[in-house]
Each structure stands twice: as C-alpha cells, then as structure tokens.
Amino acid sequence: TDQEVASKEDDIAYESYRKMPLEECRKLRIFIDKRHEAVILPIFGMAVPIHISAIKNLSMTEEEKGALLRINFATPTISTIEENENRVHLKEMVYKSQSRLPLQNALRLIKDLQKRFKTRQQELKQMEN
Amino acid sequence: VEPPPAAAAPPVAIIEVRDIFLIKRGEPMRATAKFAPHGVSIRIRDTGKVDTVQATEVREARWMPVARQNQLRLRLASGGFVIMDNIPNERKDALRSLIDNNYSTPLEMVEPCSKGWTYGAEKFDGSILTFLVDGKPAFEIPLAAVSNANAQKNEVSLEFHEVENDEMDAQFIESMRFLVVDAAEENTK
C-alpha cells in the first residue's frame, strides 16, 4: 500500500490537521509556517501543507497585470524510481495574482526557509559524523 | 379527571447555517443552508436562487475540514455533488445527528492529509479528481475548473480557467503538472 511505500525518513509537516494554523488557512493565500517548516498552499478551497524539503525551486514572472509564482517540487528521476513504485508526484504549480507583493514575499520567505532547513540538515549530518 | 394535554407536535428540527459558501464548478458563492429531516435548501445570497436536495437523493455525505472551516459534501443519486464550505465546528454534532437519523446515508468524517508530502495516488470520483496522500485526500480538483489537459510520456499537465474575483490579492492556480510513475511499465521496457 501507499503507506508502506512512503519512506519513514520523510519529513512530516503536521501530525494532524488540527495542528495547522487554521486562521491563516482561512485566508486562502500562500502561507509560510516556519515553525513547522511548511508552506501551506490554497488548492481549490483546501489548505494543503507542503514540507519545505519537497520544494525544489521557485521563480517569479512579472506580467502586465500582476505576477506568476512557479513552484517546482522534488520528484524522482526515472533511474531512481524504486521497483515497487507506482505513484503520482506533484511536479509543478503556478500561482497567479494581480498583487505582486504577496507573491514576492512568499517567494522570499520560502527561499529563507529552504536555506534554514538545508543548514539544519548539514548540522545534523556533521553531528552524526 | 382532566384529559391529558394533547401532546404538542415535536418541533421540526431545522438547522440553519448562514454564511456558507456553496461551491459550484470550483467557485464559491455566499449562501445560507437550511437542513431539515426531509432535505436541504440552499439560498444563494447574490441571486436569491434556491437549490434543494431531497434527503432520499443523498448517496454519500462527507464532513471534512478545509481552508474555510469545514466542508459538507453531498453526493446525489444523479452523480452530482453539492459542496458547502465554511461550516463551523460547533454545527458538526447537530448536523451529524440530523443526517444520520433522516438521510439515506450517515455522515462520514474525513480528515485530510496534513503530512506535507507531494506524492500519492489519483482518484476520479465523477466530476472531482482527488489527490490522495498517505491514503487521505490532500486536495481535490473540480474537473469543471480545468480548461486544458495534456498527457505526455510520464507527465500530465492541467491548466485552469481564469476565475473572476473582486479581491486584488486573490491567488489562483494557473496550472499544475504531475509526474506519473508506473514502475511496472518502466521495468518491462
């Protein structure tokens, strides 16, 4: 089953839905939760947490009216796919808004969180060595 | 001896929930819902139009926390869905009891996945595509919101209709891409 396939080493954003920042979720805007190392994405009325480790890179495109924020997620390459793997991976999402500033802020906060997370991972590795 | 007073007719239990969002083709409309033992009526605020659902038509009733408080989703015998968002937690017990006792199906409680993973399985349910992570819904895409879909090799991309919204800072999904891995197929190549 899917549960068995999911690696135990995977980082978890929230142990349960109740632990999500529910007031922030209600706004239906991209929200960065530093403490949980998670980015909450509004997707058709649901507040969808994504652990920062699952985000590969981001980019922003300015348009005449507003901007686009492109989020690329980490996906396995065909050569690293496990034998029993049969899954769908979210690979990319593009958000559009007439207001550039909130998207610019989201991009900056996500990049900051990525840096913090990578630094922490390196520190953990060094301690293990 | 005085005759016992005639038993008063039990009050008809109607649960009114104001300020909900009725979701049609992925777009929210402000509405008020009245739940009665025989069914639901939903009045859309801006148009005054009333949608009704007979209790006997309901094939599945689901309660799930969403961005705006909770969602009550009814699947009808016709195959269509009636989706209502922004229902407060405090109404859960009363609605559950009314639906369990009067409708043709009990209210099912669903918890979305909050683990933060981006891989899972897709499930088509009539007009809704559900992305299941760890066996639970992570998000759901109303197929009516999709303007264009493309499949190439291991990749599926979806583009979405533009949504009208008065809020300048509203954030919409323009497109999504998925990597679809079928290891069994890969290994036989």
Side-chain angles (χ1 to χ4, degrees):
Chain A
T1 66
D2 225 28
Q3 277 97 326
E4 287 160 354
V5 177
S7 154
K8 287 196 181 71
E9 292 156 32
D10 279 331
D11 293 296
I12 287 176
Y14 300 92
E15 295 290 344
S16 78
Y17 196 87
R18 289 191 317 276
K19 301 207 167 148
M20 302 244 299
L22 299 178
E23 283 306 311
E24 290 295 339
C25 293
R26 279 173 81 160
K27 297 176 187 166
L28 289 170
R29 302 289 186 270
I30 298 170
F31 177 72
I32 290 86
D33 184 346
K34 269 193 198 170
R35 206 165 65 84
H36 285 265
E37 297 179 328
V39 177
I40 297 175
L41 299 176
I43 305 183
F44 295 105
M46 286 180 77
V48 185
I50 305 286
H51 193 271
I52 193 67
S53 60
I55 295 178
K56 193 166 93 181
N57 55 45
L58 305 115
S59 65
M60 182 119 172
T61 318
E62 297 213 347
E63 291 202 312
E64 203 179 312
K65 267 181 85 183
L68 298 176
L69 175 65
R70 185 179 304 270
I71 307 171
N72 286 104
F73 302 98
T75 52
T77 58
I78 294 300
S79 57
T80 63
I81 286 167
E82 291 164 39
E83 184 104 354
N84 58 353
E85 197 159 22
N86 191 350
R87 296 182 198 164
V88 182
H89 295 256
L90 181 59
K91 191 175 181 183
E92 182 194 270
M93 280 188 75
V94 180
Y95 278 92
K96 185 177 191 167
S97 180
Q98 290 189 56
S99 298
R100 289 181 190 138
L101 196 59
L103 289 188
Q104 281 164 350
N105 282 336
L107 176 105
R108 182 175 52 80
L109 292 171
I110 296 170
K111 285 192 166 170
D112 285 352
L113 188 55
Q114 273 185 317
K115 272 183 217 150
R116 271 170 51 131
F117 179 74
K118 277 174 193 160
T119 310
R120 201 171 61 85
Q121 293 293 97
Q122 277 164 1
E123 283 169 0
L124 280 174
K125 247 186 202 167
Q126 281 172 355
M127 277 168 68
E128 276 170 24
N129 294 342
Chain B
V1 179
E2 274 186 45
V12 179
I14 292 181
I15 301 170
E16 187 181 77
V17 191
R18 289 164 186 264
D19 297 319
I20 65 156
F21 288 97
L22 178 67
I23 313 290
K24 287 204 170 185
R25 289 172 290 277
E27 292 188 38
M29 288 184 246
R30 286 193 178 275
T32 295
K34 284 182 183 172
F35 296 83
H38 60 272
V40 194
S41 71
I42 307 148
R43 188 175 183 280
I44 298 166
R45 198 183 67 179
D46 288 348
T47 62
K49 197 177 162 286
V50 178
D51 283 6
T52 57
V53 175
Q54 301 296 318
T56 49
E57 281 184 278
V58 179
R59 289 292 168 271
E60 186 190 286
R62 188 187 76 171
W63 176 277
M64 183 170 79
V66 291
R68 289 175 169 135
Q69 306 195 71
N70 300 280
Q71 179 182 87
L72 179 61
R73 190 181 84 174
L74 305 175
R75 183 212 297 270
L76 309 183
S78 64
F81 290 99
V82 175
I83 300 173
M84 291 163 272
D85 279 13
N86 208 32
I87 304 183
N89 282 333
E90 305 88 78
R91 311 308 287 273
K92 181 162 81 177
D93 292 339
L95 285 169
R96 188 179 195 174
S97 145
L98 181 118
I99 292 172
D100 286 0
N101 292 320
N102 298 285
Y103 294 14
S104 37
T105 175
L107 185 61
E108 179 198 358
M109 301 291 164
V110 170
E111 180 95 348
C113 179
S114 55
K115 293 212 161 125
W117 303 340
T118 50
Y119 50 84
E122 84 286 12
K123 190 179 127 197
F124 284 94
D125 211 350
S127 57
I128 297 173
L129 167 61
T130 302
F131 187 60
L132 295 164
V133 176
D134 201 25
K136 293 175 178 175
F139 55 83
E140 298 183 323
I141 299 172
L143 295 182
V146 177
S147 63
N148 198 10
N150 264 301
Q152 280 184 325
K153 283 188 185 171
N154 294 310
E155 208 173 282
V156 174
S157 62
L158 302 176
E159 286 166 35
F160 300 100
H161 290 294
E162 278 204 33
V163 182
E164 278 184 40
N165 192 308
D166 300 333
E167 295 168 43
M168 272 291 287
D169 65 340
Q171 296 170 347
F172 302 107
I173 302 169
E174 174 158 285
S175 63
M176 286 174 106
R177 276 200 293 157
F178 297 89
L179 172 71
V180 183
V181 177
D182 189 337
E185 200 176 281
E186 289 302 326
N187 292 336
T188 54
K189 274 185 188 165

